[in-house]
Amino acid sequence: MGTVTLMLFGILVILVLFNVPIAIALAAASLLVVLIEGSVPLSLFIQTSFSSMDSFPLIAIPFFILAGDIMSRGGMARRLVDFIQSIVGSLTGSLGIITIIASFIFAAISGSGAATVASIGAILIPYMLKSGYAPGYAASISASAGALGPIVPPSIVFILYAVMSNTSISDLFISGIVPGILVAIALLIVNYFICKKEGFGSLKVALVAKEKVGFWKALNEAKWALLAPILILGGIYGGIVTPTEAAVVAVVYSLIICIFFYKEIKFNDFIGIFLKSSHTSGSVLIFVSAASFFGQILSIERIPQFLADTLASWTTNPLIILLLINIFLLIVGMFMETVAAVLIFVPLLLPIVIPLGIDPIHFGMIVCLNLSLGLITPPLGINLFIGSNIANVPFERTFKYVAPIFGALLIVLLIITYVPSITLFLPNLLGG
């Protein structure tokens, strides 16, 4: 891992410093290394780029994004936001609170951080900007709330981890409930202090109606939106559909509700909805493609194996091993797409932690939470990329607000790492 590794990361850093888009920087750095080093055929770029997207679980992403766009355009997501607003009222940082809670609920529909940011952020970021929130913060809190996607069931990352580790998908889904709530609470606390300090939300802007919507009216209007997570998770838990099939169910359900019940989608709207969903999905999948090729080069150069072996040789203390793995995965999440990271590193790290008595379900939560933080950390930061696009703000202007959010989530990560009962309580209770 000598010259090639330095060359790979050196080129990537230089390109990022010159404001080259992250996806292009990842692909370009990998391609330049392949051309200069010469030991890897150039055709591997095309093969890896296409094969990384030729994945059944990944099909769920564009379908969930489409479902989110339909819900947004058809009034479902708006009614969900109205319902939460009727509960939150005019608390400090109320729009941030609504963003976090709505993202938590929507994560139980989409199973994807990117889809959550694209759907909820598209509704709430414009209102945050009108209410005096800094564009960088509006993008940051939406992106951070979207990081709930990989740890709130039905998480696609959980499914990939379960396949790689031969563990129960149902147990992983159940184990994500309490950590997901802890992450949401941490975001709510940080949102309060930032909004209090910066004075965000001083302008009173109604989200939808000119008059405040009452609780019972908002609940009645939002009942179909609130039913969506129950329908999707119930179908998955009941073994009726796979998560990818559930994404299709979400699309069909949202179409039926928005066309025949809310009656806010017309035939002419479909072109715009499909174009918007295609644009968002394409942006995300380009990241997947570029990051997968970057990860493939890392794998060919045996960088993951070297790091994993080095980690195991330093110590056999479980507490220190978990701390080192956390640091390692946080760095990995900064440069590698979540799916690729799970596929590459889980088989390498599991043989290290299992002999130490660490439960694979608990370790799965550690891995997924670590990599979910990668969604909001540069240079990759897919969620930040989506949020900054919606807020029309440069990527780097989000860093000021992402730093304290990341710090709070890091505390949650350490708590979950060293208190395994938080993760294992519900699976053990229901399983026992």
Side-chain angles (χ1 to χ4, degrees), residues 318 321-322 325 350 352-363 366:
I321 286 287
L322 287 176
I325 287 177
L350 267 178
I352 298 175
V353 300
I354 295 300
L356 300 176
I358 298 171
D359 191 287
I361 298 293
H362 177 219
F363 185 67
I366 294 173

Side-chain angles (χ1 to χ4, degrees), residues 95-170:
L95 289 178
I97 297 173
I98 295 169
T99 299
I100 295 164
I101 298 176
S103 295
F104 185 92
I105 297 174
F106 196 83
I109 301 175
S110 68
S112 164
T116 301
V117 179
S119 302
I120 302 300
I123 298 173
L124 284 164
I125 286 177
Y127 287 109
M128 281 192 274
L129 299 182
K130 292 178 183 178
S131 296
Y133 288 70
Y137 181 69
S140 298
I141 194 65
S142 297
S144 303
L148 288 162
I151 58 175
V152 174
S155 168
I156 297 172
V157 181
F158 279 167
I159 297 171
L160 290 172
Y161 176 87
V163 172
M164 301 302 295
S165 62
N166 195 29
T167 53
S168 168
I169 295 177
S170 298

